[in-house]
């Protein structure tokens, strides 16, 4: 008989823990629950107490339960040690006496000998911190046998209570929730700290993997604690098990030890019937069963790479129950993760995206129909911060249980267990509540509103709604020593199938249709005059075939990570409606334009349509939980007409390239006033190359001449806040700055270059190439000049000659690779040091025209320096002529940089060749032949990029998009 009464739950909860009598711990503060005071006395050298981070006086205290001799005291400090501290003892917690005082603490293991004191209470008072403004202690040990025995007795009682709590927890699972077994994976943690980088290989080498060998699929008997290993592979890896609705078989992802990739496998619950479902040179992970018998999973079959890291992307896919008929369900150019069925038949999943906004702040919850239609935000996309992942519906409620992994996410999705209530809508942050206090859990599985199974490190635990946890299983022995941990615990229990949502796709069609009912409905649109929006600019966010680092360089300087295609425009009717036909399975976003082609409102997310889908949205950035404010009984005007395909914009490229498309305009109209010899307004607009970008591109960036989303964690800007309209550069060229008149075609080029994110190169082949002091894996290792003899000598000269005056926001770089304290990917755009960064002061096209040389060189010698206080004063004369040895030393460094750049070549230089990794991936994607040799064969990287993108387009006539690809 199953007991489900509230009384049973109450008795279970109250009986799980009683505090060990006589011994207790206290601290003035704790950094978090993970750093409790008890950790300093638990005998575990890996746990510790830590105070809050403020550096004031703090104390750590133990109550031994009775007065005993203490003997010598040993304190094992973490790096956050106290320089000055006292040890007090007391029998009654009222009268204290000093047992020891330390005034020159050095941290580490500190032995305090000769202590002739007894006491019940021992307090360590930290008076002055050392290298860190907090205090942290691994372990406190007492020398006397009596004190040791008090702690041993305490630990024995704690262990007994743990065992009793585990027994009651197992009884709860059986008696209340009706299951006896939990399926889970045991594997080693990967090498990468990013939450998503756990399959595939790194860009720089196919032999370098983010995952480690060693994995098991296991089954835990919750009553006995016995573990049965269903699958063991010391050289492979096992992940993402999920139990079938009937609880007879398990679906999981498995990389065999002799193979490169994860694929989907199935096995019976008793360990029989192991069967491989998917095949090929891709990674298939995070599968779930769907109620119609099919499988949803995420896969690297999408052939794209993380925009801000050097590992591949996986997005939503679907296949038959036997692994056949694999179809793409998402158009994301970044990761989709951890799909799970909602009770209404939709799929809940995590989508990471960043369209002209921060790359590390938007990885939140979305939903879609199982056929890949109707992708819609579920929670969080308006607000930056946190990775919301491993989300599942809580039985008996409308709420969701998930992991909130802090910041940009922790390894293997570790974070807080959180409860989310959708009744507040997708944007109300109060809807999210943390259940526990420390971000140390992963893979939560809700049993009810009261209890959840979670994994943490080497343990599987039962957590209640207050965050209290009870260990059900802990991995130990050789596997624990080898670094294995527990993952993805799932109960072996039958569950009800969700309803099946009828399909809305037609795979014979290569397009889908989208109806916008009223562009004026939505956030920050109330002040936009009805009728002012004339068309929608359709943009496409383009996937990357390869990537090498965490920054956006050299694609932009602190801005976009992604090339954006200008697809075209569709008309907006008088009532604000628009009806468009778009290519299927591609990532689009829209910009509302007025009659002058100015951007009224910009979308900072993407949308897509599935083949044959008819979708709709209410308005521009509308609140998904609201109905329209302006309701008309008449159908939208656009709906009464045929759907319009975007009309291309004539006279501009689809994908912009700054040196090719914008620099000629600057050369024609601007350079005569803004060159190294004539720097009016201290503005330089020549196309001369700096260490990473051209001088004109850097100048326009650091002088804020275009307004994009940068890499900022911000959304929902007011009308006319982003794009060409508010950009000073656009205002200048429209208003005839210095009587300059641009042609209509030139104006369009500048306008749509800004609207497309203002990129520097127009090809992904430029990534990781053509730079002095470039970055790979966030390390400045690409042609870095830090060890060049010329640069070492020049750095000494610059420090000696310029260091006294050029301090703070006037500081100068001392080498070609010296960032002079500026962030290479997110600088403070108000820091005036940007105006004198390495990107501006070194000229690798014409070294003698470098500002680093011209500014201190006398005007009479061809420089800009003038002594005196007159109006012509620019810079005091440091070098009277070019024969100065120090001048020559700086020049030699810049000439060495030019020589190296001429050898390695930038994307806009004759003879440029892409990196071998770029060609390797193009071969893998079938874009170039296996025998293609870029050192011999002609390479048009712009054409290769375009062929790569086209290879990803859905074509109903192409059988490769529709066939069963499970046996590739």
């Amino acid at each position: 008989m199953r007991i489900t009464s509230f009384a049973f739950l109450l008795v279970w909860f109250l009986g799980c823990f009683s505090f060990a009598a006589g011994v207790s711990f206290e601290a003035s503060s704790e950094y978090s629950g993970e750093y409790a005071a008890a950790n300093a006395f638990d005998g575990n050298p890996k746990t510790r107490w830590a105070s809050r981070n403020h550096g004031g006086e703090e104390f750590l205290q133990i109550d031994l339960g009775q007065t005993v001799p203490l003997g010598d005291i040993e304190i094992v400090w973490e790096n956050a040690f106290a320089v000055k501290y006292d040890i007090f003892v007391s029998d009654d917690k009222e009268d204290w006496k000093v047992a020891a005082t330390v005034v020159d603490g050095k941290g580490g293991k500190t032995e305090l000998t000769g202590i002739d004191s007894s006491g019940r209470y021992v307090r360590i008072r930290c008076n002055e911190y050392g290298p860190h403004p907090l205090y942290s202690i691994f372990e406190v040990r007492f020398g006397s046998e009596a004190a040791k025995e008090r702690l041993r007795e305490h630990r024995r009682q704690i262990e007994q209570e743990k065992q009793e709590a585990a027994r009651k927890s197992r009884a709860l699972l059986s008696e209340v929730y009706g299951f006896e077994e939990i399926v889970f994976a045991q594997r080693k943690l990967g090498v990468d700290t990013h939450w998503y980088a756990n399959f595939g290989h790194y860009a720089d080498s196919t032999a370098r993997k983010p995952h480690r060998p060693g994995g098991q699929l296991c089954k835990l008997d919750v009553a006995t604690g016995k573990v049965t290993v269903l699958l063991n592979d010391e050289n492979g890896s096992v992940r993402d098990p999920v139990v079938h609705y009937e609880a007879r078989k398990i679906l999981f992802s498995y990389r065999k030890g002799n193979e490169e990739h994860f694929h989907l496998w199935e096995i019976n619950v008793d360990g029989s019937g192991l069967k491989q479902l998917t095949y090929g040179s891709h990674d298939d992970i995070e599968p779930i069963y769907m109620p119609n018998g099919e499988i949803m999973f995420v896969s690297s079959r999408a052939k794209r790479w993380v925009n801000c890291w050097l590992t591949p992307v996986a997005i939503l896919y679907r296949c038959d129950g036997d692994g056949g008929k694999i179809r793409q369900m998402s158009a994301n150019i970044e990761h989709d993760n951890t799909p799970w069925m909602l009770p209404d038949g939709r799929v809940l999943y995590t989508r990471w995206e960043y369209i002209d906004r921060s790359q590390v702040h938007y990885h939140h919850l979305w939903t879609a129909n199982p056929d890949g239609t109707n992708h819609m935000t579920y929670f969080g996309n308006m607000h930056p911060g946190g990775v919301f992942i491993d989300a599942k519906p809580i039985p008996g409620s409308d709420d969701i249980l998930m992991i909130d992994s802090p910041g940009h996410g922790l390894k293997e999705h570790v974070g807080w267990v959180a409860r989310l209530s959708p009744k507040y809508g997708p944007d109300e942050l109060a809807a999210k509540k943390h259940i526990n206090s420390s971000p140390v859990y992963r893979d939560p599985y809700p049993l009810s509103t009261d209890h959840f199974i979670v994994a943490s490190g080497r343990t599987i635990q039962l957590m209640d709604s207050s965050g209290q946890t009870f260990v059900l299983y802990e991995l130990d022995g050789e596997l624990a020593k080898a670094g294995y941990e527990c993952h993805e615990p799932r109960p072996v229990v039958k569950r009800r199938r969700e309803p099946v949502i009828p399909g809305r796709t037609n795979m014979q069609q290569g397009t889908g249709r989208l109806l916008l009912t009223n562009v004026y409905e939505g956030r920050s649109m109330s002040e936009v005059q009805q009728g002012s929006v004339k068309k929608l600019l359709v943009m496409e966010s383009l996937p990357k075939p390869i990537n090498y680092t965490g920054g956006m360089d050299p694609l932009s300087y602190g801005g976009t990570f992604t090339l954006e295609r200008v697809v075209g425009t569709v008309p907006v009717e008088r009532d604000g409606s628009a009806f468009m036909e778009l290519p299927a399975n591609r990532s689009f976003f829209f910009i509302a334009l007025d009659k002058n082609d100015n951007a009224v409102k910009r979308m900072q997310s993407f949308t897509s349509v599935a083949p044959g889908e008819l979708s709709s949205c209410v308005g521009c950035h509308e609140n998904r939980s609201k109905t329209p404010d302006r309701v008309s009984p008449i159908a939208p005007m656009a709906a009464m007409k045929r759907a319009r395909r975007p009309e291309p914009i004539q006279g501009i490229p689809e994908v912009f390239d700054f040196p090719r498309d914008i620099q000629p305009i600057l050369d024609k109209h601007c350079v005569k006033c803004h060159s190294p010899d004539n720097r009016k307004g201290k503005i330089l607009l020549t196309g001369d190359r700096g260490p990473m970008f051209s001088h004109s591109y850097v100048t326009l960036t650091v002088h804020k001449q275009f307004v994009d989303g940068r890499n900022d964690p911000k959304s929902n800007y007011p009308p006319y806040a982003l794009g060409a309209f508010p950009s000073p550069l656009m205002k200048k060229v429209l208003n005839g700055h210095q009587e300059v008149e641009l042609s209509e075609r030139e104006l369009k080029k500048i306008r749509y270059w800004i609207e497309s994110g203002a990129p520097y190169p127009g090809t992904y082949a430029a990534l990781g190439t053509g730079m002095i002091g470039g970055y790979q894996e966030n390390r400045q290792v690409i042609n870095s000049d830090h060890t060049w003899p010329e640069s070492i000598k020049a750095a000494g000269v610059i420090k000696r000659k310029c260091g006294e005056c050029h301090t703070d926001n006037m500081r100068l770089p001392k080498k070609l690779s010296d960032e002079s304290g500026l962030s290479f990917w997110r600088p403070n755009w108000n820091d005036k040091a940007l105006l004198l960064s390495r990107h501006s002061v070194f000229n690798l096209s014409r070294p003698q025209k470098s500002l680093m040389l011209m500014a201190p060189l006398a005007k009479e010698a061809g420089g800009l320096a003038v002594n005196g206080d007159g109006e012509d004063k620019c810079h005091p004369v440091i070098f009277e002529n070019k024969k100065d040895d120090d001048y020559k030393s700086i020049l030699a460094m810049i000439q060495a940089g030019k020589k190296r750049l001429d050898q390695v070549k930038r994307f806009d230089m004759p003879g440029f060749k892409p990196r071998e990794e770029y060609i390797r991936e193009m071969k893998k994607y079938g874009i170039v032949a296996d025998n293609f040799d870029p050192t011999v064969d002609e390479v048009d990287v712009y054409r290769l990029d375009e062929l790569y993108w086209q290879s990803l387009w859905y074509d109903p006539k192409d059988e490769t998009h529709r066939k069963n690809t499970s046996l590739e």
Side-chain angles (χ1 to χ4, degrees):
M1 176 180 176
R2 180 179 299 180
I3 303 173
T4 59
S5 68
F6 174 77
F8 181 95
L9 294 174
L10 183 63
V11 170
W12 171 84
F13 177 75
L14 294 176
C16 278
F17 273 112
S18 62
F19 292 101
V23 177
S24 62
F25 313 97
E26 186 180 346
S28 53
S29 72
E30 295 175 348
Y31 191 84
S32 71
E34 188 179 357
Y35 302 99
N39 292 350
F41 302 93
D42 63 1
N44 184 344
K46 294 183 179 180
T47 62
R48 58 189 171 100
W49 164 73
S51 70
R52 290 198 181 97
N53 188 352
H54 60 75
E57 186 179 289
E58 300 275 0
F59 72 82
L60 172 67
Q61 181 174 298
I62 181 173
D63 174 6
L64 290 166
Q66 64 187 51
T67 299
V68 295
L70 301 176
D72 297 341
I73 297 177
E74 181 180 272
I75 304 175
V76 182
W77 293 92
E78 197 257 354
N79 292 332
F81 60 86
V83 175
K84 297 180 180 180
Y85 57 97
D86 300 300
I87 297 179
F88 296 92
V89 297
S90 174
D91 293 329
D92 56 8
K93 207 176 178 181
E94 296 290 337
D95 297 322
W96 296 88
K97 62 180 180 180
V98 178
T101 296
V102 176
V103 296
D104 58 350
K106 301 294 192 298
K109 183 186 292 186
T110 302
E111 296 183 3
L112 304 175
T113 60
I115 296 178
D116 185 20
S117 297
S118 297
R120 172 176 173 174
Y121 300 92
V122 181
R123 174 180 291 184
I124 301 171
R125 188 181 71 186
C126 303
N127 303 318
E128 183 179 319
Y129 60 83
H132 304 285
L134 74 161
Y135 307 100
S136 186
I137 294 175
F138 279 111
E139 202 68 26
V140 178
R141 304 185 182 109
F142 299 104
S144 78
E145 188 60 31
K148 290 179 182 178
E149 180 56 29
R150 294 299 296 162
L151 285 174
R152 284 195 291 264
E153 181 182 348
H154 168 75
R155 292 166 189 162
R156 284 194 295 268
Q157 188 165 349
I158 288 294
E159 183 61 31
Q160 291 172 1
E161 291 181 351
K162 285 183 178 179
Q163 292 177 5
E164 179 63 12
R167 185 190 66 78
K168 292 181 178 180
S169 298
R170 296 186 183 106
L172 173 78
L173 298 182
S174 175
E175 296 294 333
V176 175
Y177 296 112
F179 64 88
E180 307 289 344
E181 297 174 320
I182 295 173
V183 168
F184 65 102
Q186 294 186 149
R187 62 178 179 273
K188 296 178 183 177
L189 293 180
V191 301
D192 202 295
T193 59
H194 292 89
W195 54 275
Y196 53 83
N198 47 33
F199 64 90
H201 61 80
Y202 286 98
D204 59 339
S205 172
T206 58
R208 185 173 164 233
K209 313 292 186 182
H211 51 78
R212 288 191 174 103
Q216 295 181 334
L217 180 65
C218 302
K219 185 174 61 175
L220 171 69
D221 186 315
V222 296
T224 65
K226 178 183 177 182
V227 170
T228 301
V229 177
L230 304 178
L231 176 64
N232 179 51
D233 193 329
E234 295 180 357
N235 297 312
S237 188
V238 177
R239 54 178 295 170
D240 313 321
V242 61
V243 178
H244 189 265
Y245 293 98
E246 302 300 324
R248 290 196 295 263
K249 56 185 179 179
I250 304 161
L251 176 66
F252 62 102
S253 182
Y254 171 36
R255 183 189 62 79
K256 295 181 70 173
N258 60 345
E259 295 183 358
E260 292 287 312
H261 300 285
F262 286 92
H263 293 113
L264 303 188
W265 291 69
E266 213 170 37
I267 193 171
N268 293 328
V269 170
D270 63 4
S272 65
L274 179 65
K275 179 174 65 173
Q276 184 171 353
L277 302 182
T278 61
Y279 300 79
S281 56
H282 320 280
D283 289 281
D284 302 325
I285 59 174
E286 299 176 350
I288 59 168
Y289 287 110
M290 295 198 295
N292 67 345
E294 296 189 350
I295 294 168
M296 181 81 76
F297 60 103
V298 299
S299 176
S300 66
R301 296 167 186 270
K303 303 176 183 177
R304 56 201 67 183
W305 286 68
V306 174
N307 280 223
C308 61
W309 199 234
L310 52 160
T311 52
V313 160
I315 64 173
L316 291 176
Y317 276 75
R318 172 180 173 176
C319 67
D320 290 350
D322 61 0
K325 295 183 180 178
I326 297 174
R327 288 94 76 197
Q328 181 179 332
M329 296 289 109
S330 167
N332 200 354
I333 68 169
E334 279 292 359
H335 274 278
D336 299 328
N337 280 100
T338 60
W340 202 265
M341 297 302 301
L342 286 171
D344 63 6
R346 290 178 299 160
V347 176
L348 178 67
Y349 70 99
T350 298
R351 178 202 276 192
W352 180 22
E353 60 165 30
Y354 41 99
I355 304 294
D356 301 322
R357 57 180 180 170
S358 169
Q359 95 277 22
V360 295
H361 285 87
Y362 298 94
H363 4 57
H364 299 138
L365 297 180
W366 289 70
T367 60
N369 289 348
D371 63 352
T373 61
N374 197 33
H375 287 267
M376 183 179 296
T377 182
Y378 188 80
F379 183 79
N381 193 46
M382 279 290 296
H383 301 288
V387 176
F388 302 166
I389 200 163
D390 291 311
K392 301 172 185 67
I394 299 175
S397 79
D398 295 325
D399 291 358
I400 297 297
L401 191 73
M402 68 177 189
I403 288 295
D404 179 2
S405 194
H408 187 36
L410 303 179
K411 182 186 292 189
E412 289 288 352
H413 310 180
V414 168
W416 294 281
V417 179
R419 183 168 179 167
L420 173 66
S421 179
K423 65 182 179 182
Y424 298 103
D427 306 319
E428 181 55 59
L429 291 178
K432 175 174 67 73
K433 302 291 185 183
H434 288 172
I435 294 172
N436 68 298
S437 60
S438 300
V440 296
Y441 294 98
R442 58 174 171 257
D443 309 319
Y445 192 101
L447 303 174
S448 69
T449 57
D450 297 309
H451 297 103
F452 329 113
I453 303 174
V454 296
S456 180
R458 300 194 303 271
T459 66
I460 296 173
Q461 303 179 25
L462 183 66
M463 177 180 288
D464 68 20
S465 57
S466 69
Q468 180 71 58
T469 58
F470 314 99
V471 175
L472 298 172
Y473 165 73
E474 183 168 5
L475 174 65
D476 56 15
E478 293 303 315
L479 291 182
K481 292 179 182 179
Y484 282 64
E485 294 193 1
C486 298
H487 305 262
E488 300 106 16
R490 314 287 192 232
V492 181
V493 63
K494 291 183 179 180
R495 53 195 172 95
R496 181 179 300 175
R497 294 176 188 255
E498 302 81 12
V500 176
I501 298 176
R504 294 167 45 190
T505 61
N506 182 345
M507 306 308 289
Q508 304 303 316
Q509 296 182 16
T511 61
R513 292 172 295 162
L514 175 63
L515 174 65
L516 168 66
T517 58
N518 190 348
V519 72
Y520 304 104
E521 291 284 350
R523 301 179 180 89
S524 303
M525 292 296 290
S526 59
E527 296 181 6
V528 177
Q529 186 176 355
Q530 186 85 17
S532 60
V533 176
K534 300 301 181 182
K535 50 189 152 181
L536 292 181
L537 177 62
V538 181
M539 304 290 294
E540 181 180 7
S541 190
L542 297 169
K544 282 183 174 179
I546 191 73
N547 198 60
Y548 306 101
T549 194
M552 65 288 289
D553 46 289
L555 201 67
S556 72
Y557 186 19
T560 183
F561 284 77
T562 311
L563 292 175
E564 298 171 355
R565 184 196 303 276
V566 182
V567 180
T569 62
V570 293
V572 173
E573 303 294 339
R574 294 193 308 275
D575 64 351
S577 63
F579 193 23
M580 66 195 84
E581 183 179 1
L582 300 173
N585 292 345
R586 288 162 64 179
S587 174
F588 297 110
F589 64 98
F590 309 126
I591 303 172
L593 302 180
D594 65 14
K595 64 180 180 181
N596 297 315
D597 291 335
N598 294 319
V600 180
K601 189 74 169 174
R602 186 182 187 91
M603 188 174 171
Q604 289 185 280
S605 182
F606 79 87
T607 191
S608 61
V609 289
E613 178 183 6
L614 173 59
S615 186
S616 66
C617 57
V618 174
C620 189
H621 296 260
E622 84 280 1
N623 189 324
R624 295 282 183 165
S625 62
K626 287 185 61 178
T627 55
D629 292 328
R630 313 171 213 184
V631 179
S632 170
I634 304 174
M637 295 175 65
M640 308 302 290
K641 303 177 181 179
R642 65 175 178 83
R644 299 287 292 271
R645 294 190 175 188
E647 181 179 347
I649 299 173
Q650 300 302 315
I652 67 168
E654 289 186 343
V655 180
F656 276 91
D657 182 280
F658 182 87
R660 181 193 66 199
D661 303 317
I662 305 302
Q663 188 61 49
I665 301 174
L666 303 179
D667 290 342
K668 179 179 177 181
H669 298 286
C670 309
V671 165
K672 59 181 177 289
C673 294
H674 301 293
S675 67
D677 298 306
N678 186 19
R679 293 177 69 247
K680 284 190 176 180
K682 298 183 179 180
I683 298 297
L684 193 59
L685 293 178
T686 55
D688 291 347
R689 299 178 184 92
M692 189 176 290
F693 308 100
S694 70
H695 283 167
S696 54
Y697 186 80
V698 170
T699 296
L700 294 176
T701 301
V702 301
H703 285 272
K704 304 177 185 178
Q705 291 299 295
F706 53 86
V707 181
D708 57 356
R710 291 284 79 194
N711 189 33
D712 293 333
K714 186 177 179 181
S715 299
N716 191 29
Y717 288 80
Y720 292 104
L722 291 179
F725 177 76
S727 295
L729 174 62
M730 198 70 209
K731 294 181 186 295
K732 288 181 173 68
V733 297
L734 285 173
N735 296 330
H737 173 72
Q738 297 295 315
E739 299 183 353
V740 169
E741 292 187 14
L742 272 63
S743 68
E744 186 64 27
R745 183 173 183 179
E746 290 170 333
L747 288 171
K748 287 170 66 175
K749 282 188 175 182
I750 290 179
R751 177 184 297 280
Y752 290 105
W753 170 70
I754 296 174
E755 299 297 358
S756 61
Y760 178 46
T763 171
Y764 287 136
L767 301 175
T769 67
M771 296 175 282
I772 304 299
Y775 290 85
Q776 179 159 312
E777 205 165 342
N778 293 347
R779 292 176 291 121
Q780 199 180 40
V781 296
I782 299 178
N783 301 312
S784 171
D785 73 319
H786 284 302
T787 60
W788 296 0
E790 300 92 340
S791 296
I792 293 173
K793 185 175 182 181
V797 171
I798 294 171
K799 181 179 181 180
R800 173 166 43 85
K801 289 286 189 177
C802 312
E804 183 176 347
C805 296
H806 283 277
T807 60
D808 298 327
N809 60 12
M810 291 294 291
R811 60 192 182 274
L812 290 172
K814 299 176 179 62
K815 297 178 181 178
L816 303 177
S817 302
D818 182 9
E819 298 287 10
S820 56
L822 295 166
S823 169
F824 71 93
W825 65 288
R826 187 179 277 174
N828 177 358
W829 296 108
N830 294 317
D831 189 340
K832 292 183 179 180
L834 284 168
L835 305 178
L836 295 174
S837 76
R838 69 187 185 106
H839 303 298
S840 297
V841 301
F842 298 122
N843 189 324
L844 303 189
S845 296
R846 297 178 288 171
Q848 290 191 352
K849 296 298 182 180
S850 296
L851 183 61
M852 181 67 80
L853 292 173
M854 293 191 68
L857 179 65
K859 194 170 185 178
E860 295 77 11
L864 301 172
V866 177
N867 285 323
D869 298 322
E871 293 182 359
D872 292 336
K873 180 183 177 183
C874 175
H875 190 288
V877 174
I878 304 298
F879 304 127
E880 294 288 348
N881 55 61
K882 298 179 181 179
K883 296 180 181 180
D884 187 293
D885 288 341
D886 288 338
Y887 174 94
K888 290 180 179 179
S889 294
I890 299 174
L891 176 61
M893 174 182 69
I894 304 172
Q895 288 174 331
K898 171 180 167 51
K899 181 178 180 181
R900 178 66 63 88
L901 185 59
D902 287 343
Q903 292 171 346
V904 301
K905 300 190 184 304
R906 191 166 292 174
F907 67 94
D908 60 335
M909 297 172 68
F912 167 76
K913 300 290 185 181
R915 286 178 58 150
E916 63 180 23
E917 296 93 338
Y918 173 90
I919 297 297
R920 178 198 70 207
E921 295 303 300
M922 290 299 184
K923 289 180 179 179
K924 185 167 69 175
Y925 303 150
I927 308 303
V928 297
D930 289 341
N931 62 356
F932 181 85
D933 184 355
T935 63
V936 177
D937 298 327
E938 184 177 346
V939 183
D940 180 347
V941 292
Y942 298 92
R943 179 60 178 159
L944 285 186
D945 273 3
E946 188 60 41
L947 290 173
Y948 158 69
W949 294 321
Q950 290 179 12
S951 74
L952 305 178
W953 295 356
Y954 178 75
D955 181 359
K957 298 178 182 178
D958 185 352
E959 287 297 315
T960 61
H961 285 281
R962 295 189 291 152
K963 70 179 184 179
N964 180 344
T965 57
S966 62
L967 295 176
E968 294 181 64

